[in-house]
Amino acid sequence: MTTETPGTAPQGIHGGIIVGVDGSEHGQCALSWAAREAERRRSALHLITAYSVPIYAASGLDGGYAAVDDTVIREGAEGVLREAMEKIKDYDIDVDASVENGDASGVLLELAKDAELLVVGTRGRGGFVGRLLGSVSSALPAHASCPTVVVPTICAARFGEEVTDKHAKAELAKHPVEEVKPRVVVGVDGSDQARVAVLEAAAQAQRLGVELQVLCAVPQYSGSLAWVPAAMDREAIFADIQAQLDAGVLWLKSHFPELEISTRLVDGSPVEVLVEASRDSELVVVGTRGKGGFAGMLLGSTSDGVLHHARGPVMVVPDREDARLEDRPSFGPMLGS
């Protein structure tokens, strides 16, 4: 393991994996996942912590604004990074660590512009939490230029971490941890954004040496569509979608010939189905800003819902160009066409 002493954040990070750390239990889960992934990919790992200096309004005749001395805060942040580096010292990876002054979301988004992967932790319900990192909203995965992996505290046991968070412990008391199956699950909805997510998921499954499951959930008709008669045969709709999924697998196999791939077409809420899959999958992958080939599974809203309730790591893949999409039509019918 090659390390660098915690210091000022680099002007730009090119490649490698960035993980946000803050000394919290949530950050520890993200750190453990990121270190394992860096070792798998043979990539450098960049530990980043960020803080904002409080500014307050002064009272009295000399009214104005003043900032507190950030020396103590910065020393605390550097201590968090030293502890984090000690925690992952046995991994065979190159590691550096840096402290940045600013909003955690903005800092991570800026540094991750040219990164391979961005990793953050979450309590698993109601958004991201932390001490030094502050409130890193769910906008982070939606706006990052690289794939973002969100690791909920509730799956800490997967990485040998102890769960002390009271919310996670209460949830685990209701729903104990399930044995993780060797698979990566990716949600699809017929959009090009979903196809980009599928390619990223396939690469991750191949890296892990596990099966890739391509999952499509078709919600029930609701609202203004409730009048649609049963004669509008859902079995026929499912058969049509399945044919398109099968064609997608042929396309995917042309790019990942050694990968084991299966499809799963289910009747239900995409969020609920993917959250359920996160209980016993190595990773759940979704796209963002997707608008699918059929109503109901819009990946933007789906990814938000999955992130807030997942029980395992979730990767959100941003919309981007990929030359491999060009040959997809030659393999058969496409969702969304």
Side-chain angles (χ1 to χ4, degrees):
M1 175 177 174
T2 304
T3 62
E4 293 183 13
T5 304
T8 303
Q11 293 300 310
I13 291 177
H14 302 284
I17 297 173
I18 293 177
V19 57
V21 297
D22 63 355
S24 68
E25 182 178 342
H26 325 294
Q28 297 298 316
C29 286
L31 177 63
S32 294
W33 191 94
R36 293 184 180 198
E37 186 64 16
E39 193 169 58
R40 274 192 292 264
R41 297 188 182 207
R42 299 185 181 276
S43 298
L45 182 62
H46 310 284
L47 278 56
I48 304 294
T49 192
Y51 67 93
S52 298
V53 178
I55 298 177
Y56 62 93
S59 59
L61 296 177
D62 297 325
Y65 292 89
V68 300
D69 183 358
D70 72 341
T71 303
V72 174
I73 300 175
R74 185 175 185 85
E75 288 176 351
E78 291 174 349
V80 164
L81 289 180
R82 283 192 291 271
E83 291 177 3
M85 293 174 75
E86 175 65 21
K87 179 180 179 63
I88 60 173
K89 65 181 181 180
D90 293 331
Y91 287 90
D92 184 20
I93 52 178
D94 292 336
V95 181
D96 59 56
S98 54
V99 178
E100 183 79 348
N101 187 344
D103 170 72
S105 297
V107 166
L108 291 171
L109 287 173
E110 182 65 27
L111 291 176
K113 282 183 176 179
D114 297 312
E116 189 177 340
L117 195 66
L118 174 61
V119 183
V120 292
T122 176
R123 188 163 62 196
R125 288 185 178 273
F128 305 86
V129 290
R131 286 184 278 185
L132 296 177
L133 281 179
S135 178
V136 183
S137 72
S138 57
L140 184 63
H143 294 287
S145 55
C146 66
T148 302
V149 173
V150 179
V151 186
T153 307
I154 202 164
C155 67
R158 296 190 188 188
F159 318 115
E161 300 288 343
E162 182 182 359
V163 177
T164 59
D165 179 85
K166 63 180 182 180
H167 299 283
K169 290 179 74 173
E171 184 68 16
L172 285 171
K174 296 178 184 177
H175 306 285
V177 174
E178 297 182 26
E179 183 178 353
V180 178
K181 297 175 182 176
R183 71 181 180 198
V184 169
V185 174
V186 58
V188 299
D189 69 350
S191 63
D192 275 347
Q193 291 91 338
R195 295 184 187 103
V196 170
V198 166
L199 290 168
E200 190 69 39
Q204 187 67 17
Q206 186 165 274
R207 225 175 264 123
L208 291 167
V210 300
E211 172 198 7
L212 175 67
Q213 183 181 94
V214 181
L215 188 155
C216 183
V218 184
Q220 292 285 343
Y221 295 122
S222 61
S224 62
L225 294 180
W227 59 268
V228 174
M232 189 169 180
D233 192 353
R234 280 181 74 82
E235 287 189 11
I237 294 173
F238 270 57
D240 182 54
I241 294 175
Q242 185 63 58
Q244 297 172 70
L245 288 174
D246 292 342
V249 169
L250 291 176
W251 164 69
L252 201 54
K253 276 284 192 180
S254 73
H255 296 288
F256 297 89
E258 304 300 321
L259 185 62
E260 181 183 352
I261 306 171
S262 65
T263 62
R264 184 179 171 213
L265 178 58
V266 297
D267 198 337
S269 159
V271 171
E272 291 178 3
V273 171
L274 288 168
V275 167
E276 186 63 27
S278 74
R279 295 175 181 273
D280 60 358
S281 299
E282 291 278 359
L283 183 70
V284 166
V285 182
V286 293
T288 186
R289 294 187 288 276
K291 293 189 176 181
F294 53 91
M297 189 170 181
L298 303 181
L299 284 182
S301 58
T302 296
S303 59
D304 284 345
V306 174
L307 286 174
H308 284 163
H309 299 283
R311 293 175 61 87
V314 177
M315 176 186 288
V316 180
V317 181
D319 183 18
R320 56 188 178 184
E321 295 183 2
D322 193 307
R324 291 172 292 183
L325 297 180
E326 295 176 4
D327 64 358
R328 170 60 186 87
S330 64
F331 286 87
M334 297 168 60
L335 288 170
S337 60

